[in-house]
Amino acid sequence: MLFTQIEFFLLFGLVLLACALLRSHAALKWVLLIASLYFYAYWDVRFVGLMLACITVNYTAARYLDHREDDRSRKWIAGVAIGLSLLGLGVFKYHGFFLENVQAAVDGWGMRVPALDLVLPVGISFFTFQALSYTLDVYRRDIPATHSWRDVALYISFFPQLVAGPIVRAAEFMPQLDQRPRLSWERAGSGTRQFVRGLFKKAFIADQLAGFVDFTFSQYTEFSGLTLFVALVAYTVQIYCDFSGYSDMAIGTARFLGYDFSENFRHPYLSRSITEFWRRWHISLSTWLRDYLYIPLGGNRKGRRRTCLNLLLTMLLGGLWHGAAWTFVIWGAWHGAWLAGYRFWATKCSREPMGASASRFNWLLTMTVVMLGWLLFRASSLEQFWGMLVRMVSAAEGITWIPWMTLCCIGLVVGRHLLLLSPRWERAFGLEPGRAWTAFALTVMAGVAWLFAPEQFHPFIYFQF
Amino acid sequence: MVHLVWREDLQKFIPEPGSHVRWHREGWALTRFGADGMAGRTEVDTRALSVLLWGDSFVEALQVSDDKKMAAVATQIFTRNGYEVQVLGVGGSGQSVADYLLAMPAYARRFSDIQAQVILVSNLRDLLPDQPTQERARFFSQPTFRIEPDPKAGPGRVSSPRNKRVDALRLSILRKARRKAAGSLGNLRLAPGPVPRPIDEPASMHVGDDFRYIARRLKAASDKPMVLLYCPEVPRFEQGVLVFDDLDAALAERCATAFAREGIRMVNLAEPFAAAFREDRTLARGFANSYPTKGHLNPAGHRLVARALYDALTSPSDALHTD
C-alpha cells in the first residue's frame, strides 16, 4: 500500500478513529499491529509470514538474552538471531546476485547453475535491520527485553515506517509503546504539514521526473550528452524527493498518531563535504551502520589506516544493503573511499572556518562526488555507467530532449534550497505553523500533488531495497 | 475540452464552430475550429478546389498550432508550387476509417470541387474490423464484412450546458478533480495482495480480404483520386536503442497490395521519417513534454506528412488537374 493511495487514507482514518475511541492501551496496540500487518499484506499476503518469523526469532532471542549473564552464551544467542534474520535477507535479496556470479565463475566449464525464481519481499531490508536493532540493543543492554511479543511485532511492523523507513531504533521507539500516545491538534497539524510536504515531493516532483529519468537512462546511447547530464541532475533531485518524501510522509503519519520518529534527511544537498552529506542523508541508515557496524569494527579508535578501512568496509556493506548488484557495491566503495579520503585530509587541514569561495568549491566537489555516485547507483550495469559518463563528458551528439516540466521540478527543488540559505526569505516563505501562508501553501501543494501527479505508477525507489 | 455539436448536412458531430482548445498535455498549442468544425481552419471556401484529408487525432492535431498542422502546411506547399488548392483536415479524435467512409458522401455535397481524398492512418489496425472505436461507425466482420453505425458507440465529447459553463468559468480543473476522484474510487481494492495480473488477450485480427473490402468501400464512397498515407512509429526505441523498422511492416505490405488492387495508392512514411532522423536527428513524433518517438506527430512530423501528401498528389499517377 502506498501513502498516495486512497486505500491508505481509509486505513489511516480507521486507525485514527480507533486511537480516539479505544480506552484500553493494549487494545489500541493490537489495532495498530493488525493495521500494520494488513498494510503489508495489501502488497502480498504470502510474505507476512516471513516478517512474523523474523519478529518471533528476534523476540525470542531478546528474551533469552535478558536471562543470560555469561558473555559466551549471550554472543551465541545474538549470533543465531542475527544469522537467521540475515539468512532471510540473503535468500530473498541476494540469491540472484550470488547465483549470477557463481554462474559467471563456472561458465568456462560449461556448467549451468539452476536459477531460483523468488520475489523480493517489499521492505525486507528495513524490517530486518529494525529487528536486528532490537536484538543488538538488548544484547548491549541499552534496553531491556520486553515480555510482550505484540510490542516487538508492532515496533518492527509499525506501518508508517514498515516498507521504506526511516529505520527506527528500538531504544528510540520501544519506550514510546509503554505510554498511551496522545492525540492533539498540535501534533495533527505538525504531522499533516510534514505529510503534505512529503506527498508533494513524492507524487509531484519525484514522479514527474521519473518518466524522464527512466526513459533517458534506458536509452542512453541515443541521447545527447546534454540530455544525459540533465537526466543525471533530474535523478539526483528525484531520488532525494522520492526517499525524503516517503520519510516525511512516514514521520508525519506517525506524529499524527502520537509517535515520534527522528528526522531522516536534513537537506543533504547543502553539504560541503561527503562526511556532512552522510550526516544529512538517510540519517537512520548511516547512524545504524555507524553504531552496529563501524564502531564494533573499531571505528576511529585503532589508528588512521584502520579507520579508513572501517569506513570503506562499512560503506561497502551499506552499498550492498541498497541492492544486490556490483554497481551498488562499487557505489558503496566510492563513498567509502571519499569518506576515508576526507577524513585523512581533514586531519591534515587547519580547523579555521572556510571562506566563501572555498565553501562553494567544497559544495561543488561534494555534489560532483554525490552525483557521480548516483550515476553508478541508477545505472543497470557498469557498462551503462561508463557509457553515460563518456557521453556526458564528451558532449556526445544525439537526441536532445529536455522537457520543461523536468526543468520546473529541478527549479523548484533548487529554489527551495536557495530559500534555506537566506534566513529572511526562509522566514517569509517557510512553512511555519500557525500562519495563513502555510495553510494556503499546503493546500495548494496537496491539490497539485493529487491532481497533477503523473498517471503512470511509480513505486517508491527505496521499496526495492 | 472540445465540445461537439450535431451537423445535419454533414451527418456527423463536429467541434462547435468558433470554439477553441488550448492543449498542453502533449505539445503546447491553441486550436481554433471554424464553421465546418475543422481544426485550425476558421474560414473555408466550399467552392474552391479542395483536397480532403481524413484522419483521427493525428489530423485534428491539437498538439500543434494551427499554422503547423499538416493540412495548413500542405496548402502552403501547394500554393508555393502554383496549385490553387486548399487541403482541408477533416480529422477528429477517436474517429476511424468507418467514420470517414460514412461521412464522405455528405462532404462531397458540401464541397463542390473536391480534387482528391487522402486518408491518414497511424495504425493499420484502424483499417481492420472489430476494433474498439469511440465514434459512431464501426467495421464489423461478423456475420459478413459490413460498415455501419454502431448504436452502442458514440462521441463522448458532446457538449452539455454544465460542461460549457464549467469551461466558460475556466474551472475545468473541477472536472479533472471529479474524474480523478471517480477513478480512485473506481479502482478501490481492499483485499490483500498479490493482485493477479490480467492476461492480454490478442485482439481479433482478420487480415486478408478485410483490407480489400474496406478499400472497395472507400472507392465506392468517392470517385475522386484517393491516397492512403500511413504514418508508422518510426524510428522507435527497442531495448534501449533506436530502430528504424516498422513493427507492422508485413501488415503494411499486405495493405498496400490490397489497396493498390482497388486503385488506391498507399504511401508509407516509414522511410521519410527514418531519413529525416538520419539527416538531422529530426523525430516525427514526440514533444518536449512527452516522450521522443512516441505519441502524436510534432510540427516536424506534420511537415514530413504534408510534403509526402504533396508529392503523392503531384506524382504522375495521381497528378492533380487544377486547370
Side-chain angles (χ1 to χ4, degrees):
Chain A
M1 191 181 288
L2 300 175
F3 286 152
T4 47
Q5 279 178 277
I6 193 155
E7 289 87 346
F8 168 74
F9 290 98
L10 289 175
L11 176 72
F12 181 69
L14 287 173
V15 169
L16 204 58
L17 201 65
C19 286
L21 298 180
L22 281 177
R23 297 205 167 184
S24 155
H25 186 203
L28 175 60
K29 286 196 273 191
W30 276 116
V31 167
L32 287 173
L33 177 59
I34 291 164
S36 299
L37 295 178
Y38 171 74
F39 183 88
Y40 196 70
Y42 190 82
W43 166 70
D44 196 327
V45 73
R46 293 170 300 175
F47 292 105
V48 174
L50 178 72
M51 188 170 64
L52 291 177
C54 182
I55 290 166
T56 307
V57 163
N58 285 279
Y59 164 76
T60 313
R63 289 295 306 276
Y64 275 110
L65 282 171
D66 223 21
H67 292 113
R68 302 284 167 139
E69 290 300 326
D70 62 306
D71 272 0
R72 196 181 153 83
S73 55
R74 283 173 61 78
K75 268 185 186 161
W76 265 102
I77 293 165
V80 168
I82 292 167
L84 285 174
S85 302
L86 291 179
L87 181 70
L89 186 64
V91 167
F92 282 97
K93 188 164 176 171
Y94 299 104
H95 73 276
F97 181 54
F98 177 74
L99 292 179
E100 203 178 287
N101 284 291
V102 170
Q103 180 64 62
V106 300
D107 245 358
W109 295 308
M111 288 165 72
R112 300 292 313 159
V113 177
L116 287 175
D117 190 18
L118 290 178
V119 178
L120 175 66
V122 162
I124 188 170
S125 308
F126 286 94
F127 70 69
T128 304
F129 268 36
Q130 290 216 167
L132 292 182
S133 159
Y134 175 63
T135 304
L136 289 167
D137 283 356
V138 173
Y139 171 73
R140 299 192 318 191
R141 300 192 192 282
D142 289 343
I143 53 166
T146 177
H147 292 266
S148 164
W149 178 88
R150 178 202 58 213
D151 281 11
V152 177
L154 182 55
Y155 154 64
I156 293 170
S157 69
F158 189 38
F159 71 89
Q161 45 76 31
L162 173 57
V163 289
I167 304 167
V168 183
R169 304 283 280 275
E172 179 193 336
F173 189 76
M174 297 297 281
Q176 296 186 50
L177 291 177
D178 294 338
Q179 294 162 359
R180 189 188 165 86
R182 300 223 174 273
L183 300 181
S184 70
W185 287 112
E186 190 275 327
R187 291 188 75 89
S190 157
T192 307
R193 224 170 28 248
Q194 189 134 6
F195 185 90
V196 172
R197 262 205 313 252
L199 180 73
F200 184 75
K201 279 199 264 186
K202 162 63 189 158
F204 185 69
I205 297 178
D207 285 359
Q208 288 283 356
L209 295 174
F212 171 67
V213 169
D214 292 349
F215 199 83
T216 39
F217 269 73
S218 58
Q219 269 77 226
Y220 71 96
T221 53
E222 304 296 344
F223 287 101
S224 66
L226 176 66
T227 304
L228 294 180
F229 177 71
V230 175
L232 178 58
V233 175
Y235 183 64
T236 303
V237 172
Q238 185 207 345
I239 192 166
Y240 167 65
C241 288
D242 193 281
F243 193 20
S244 75
Y246 188 90
S247 290
D248 282 342
M249 285 191 269
I251 294 166
T253 306
R255 191 176 300 154
F256 208 117
L257 293 172
Y259 296 94
D260 287 314
F261 295 164
S262 301
E263 287 298 313
N264 209 16
F265 289 85
R266 275 191 221 114
H267 308 295
Y269 293 155
L270 292 177
S271 306
R272 286 169 302 169
S273 72
I274 198 70
T275 305
E276 188 185 352
F277 175 79
W278 278 104
R279 285 187 191 132
R280 290 165 172 260
W281 178 273
H282 202 173
I283 300 163
S284 62
L285 175 70
S286 48
T287 52
W288 197 101
L289 291 172
R290 181 195 65 198
D291 294 348
Y292 299 119
L293 196 58
Y294 175 67
I295 292 175
L297 283 171
N300 58 1
R301 301 184 307 274
K302 297 187 175 175
R304 201 184 293 156
R305 278 190 190 170
R306 183 64 189 269
T307 303
C308 292
L309 186 68
N310 290 343
L311 278 170
L312 199 63
L313 206 59
T314 304
M315 291 311 290
L316 262 174
L317 289 170
L320 198 59
W321 175 87
H322 280 86
W326 284 112
T327 47
F328 290 109
V329 177
I330 296 169
W331 174 78
W334 169 257
H335 275 277
W338 278 96
L339 280 169
Y342 179 77
R343 194 165 189 97
F344 186 76
W345 177 79
T347 54
K348 299 267 177 198
C349 281
S350 69
R351 294 196 175 268
E352 280 176 32
M354 275 184 282
S357 52
S359 176
R360 275 196 284 271
F361 173 77
N362 283 352
W363 173 81
L364 195 65
L365 181 65
T366 307
M367 282 309 293
T368 308
V369 170
V370 169
M371 284 173 67
L372 282 172
W374 289 143
L375 184 57
L376 255 172
F377 193 89
R378 179 62 180 77
S380 53
S381 63
L382 289 174
E383 186 195 353
Q384 181 182 2
F385 164 76
W386 189 246
M388 282 187 71
L389 192 62
V390 167
R391 289 187 75 78
M392 273 188 260
V393 172
S394 64
E397 287 190 355
I399 300 169
T400 297
W401 172 54
I402 304 170
W404 63 268
M405 201 60 187
T406 298
L407 296 179
C408 280
C409 289
I410 294 170
L412 269 175
V413 175
V414 170
R416 171 71 192 123
H417 281 74
L418 289 177
L419 270 186
L420 288 165
L421 295 176
S422 156
R424 205 173 113 227
W425 286 98
E426 177 58 14
R427 269 198 302 280
F429 293 106
L431 299 178
E432 296 305 316
R435 295 168 59 191
W437 155 253
T438 303
F440 171 76
L442 289 175
T443 309
V444 170
M445 282 162 75
V448 164
W450 180 58
L451 276 173
F452 296 104
E455 303 284 329
Q456 301 97 321
F457 174 67
H458 294 292
F460 290 95
I461 292 175
Y462 268 65
F463 271 14
Q464 62 188 295
F465 302 141
Chain B
M1 183 182 180
V2 185
H3 296 289
L4 299 182
V5 291
W6 177 254
R7 263 289 285 271
E8 193 61 40
D9 58 337
L10 297 176
Q11 281 294 299
K12 65 182 270 201
F13 284 99
I14 60 163
E16 192 172 10
S19 62
H20 67 269
V21 170
R22 283 178 204 281
W23 199 255
H24 46 78
R25 262 179 279 170
E26 191 190 7
W28 191 278
L30 173 73
T31 294
R32 295 176 196 281
F33 294 96
D36 290 282
M38 289 178 192
R41 189 94 194 185
T42 48
E43 284 174 20
V44 177
D45 183 354
T46 55
R47 283 166 300 178
L49 302 182
S50 309
V51 169
L52 294 189
L53 172 58
W54 300 87
D56 54 9
S57 55
F58 276 68
V59 170
E60 192 177 41
L62 300 179
Q63 303 78 19
V64 299
S65 53
D66 291 347
D67 59 331
K68 293 185 172 118
K69 294 189 200 301
M70 57 182 78
V73 179
T75 305
Q76 290 162 21
I77 297 174
F78 276 114
T79 309
R80 260 202 316 271
N81 288 284
Y83 292 95
E84 285 303 318
V85 62
Q86 57 179 358
V87 180
L88 302 173
V90 196
S93 178
Q95 291 181 8
S96 68
V97 181
D99 293 292
Y100 322 147
L101 209 148
L102 293 187
M104 274 181 184
Y107 274 78
R109 287 191 294 274
R110 171 102 177 118
F111 296 94
S112 54
D113 213 344
I114 296 172
Q115 295 298 301
Q117 309 266 11
V118 179
I119 296 158
L120 182 137
V121 287
S122 57
N123 185 348
L124 289 173
R125 279 154 190 79
D126 289 348
L127 295 168
L128 295 173
D130 309 323
Q131 303 298 315
T133 170
Q134 301 166 15
E135 296 293 317
R136 298 182 68 233
R138 282 192 69 177
F139 179 13
F140 298 96
S141 67
Q142 299 296 331
T144 54
F145 288 135
R146 67 191 201 284
I147 289 170
E148 57 186 49
D150 179 2
K152 282 180 271 178
R157 304 175 296 163
V158 181
S159 57
S160 72
R162 191 178 64 182
N163 278 349
K164 278 187 169 180
R165 272 200 303 277
V166 166
D167 273 3
L169 293 169
R170 292 182 179 272
L171 291 174
S172 53
I173 193 106
L174 295 179
R175 201 164 38 225
K176 187 178 172 78
R178 198 193 63 190
R179 267 204 311 270
K180 193 105 183 176
S184 298
L185 290 170
N187 294 326
L188 192 71
R189 172 175 73 87
L190 298 177
V195 185
R197 284 188 184 171
I199 298 160
D200 288 337
E201 299 236 352
S204 137
M205 283 260 296
H206 303 260
V207 190
D209 290 341
D210 33 20
F211 277 142
R212 283 195 69 185
Y213 172 81
I214 202 149
R216 253 197 320 271
R217 288 291 306 267
L218 281 167
K219 209 60 193 159
S222 173
D223 56 354
K224 304 297 176 192
M226 207 170 269
V227 175
L228 181 70
L229 288 180
Y230 169 48
C231 300
E233 198 179 303
V234 170
R236 65 192 163 82
F237 283 106
E238 193 179 278
Q239 294 177 341
V241 292
L242 269 183
V243 291
F244 295 87
D245 63 323
D246 175 17
L247 271 177
D248 284 336
L251 203 60
E253 193 80 37
R254 293 164 83 167
C255 179
T257 310
F259 272 64
R261 278 192 194 153
E262 301 303 323
I264 302 174
R265 188 171 154 211
M266 181 172 129
V267 177
N268 189 337
L269 279 114
E271 191 42 46
F273 285 175
F277 183 81
R278 288 196 188 102
E279 214 166 279
D280 54 5
R281 297 193 181 279
T282 299
L283 287 170
R285 292 173 189 239
F287 296 81
N289 54 349
S290 69
Y291 294 104
T293 73
K294 290 177 182 289
H296 289 92
L297 296 171
N298 56 30
H302 278 260
R303 278 198 305 276
L304 291 168
V305 172
R307 188 76 227 178
L309 186 153
Y310 171 80
D311 289 344
L313 293 182
T314 52
S315 66
S317 56
D318 290 299
L320 284 177
H321 303 288
T322 57
D323 49 359

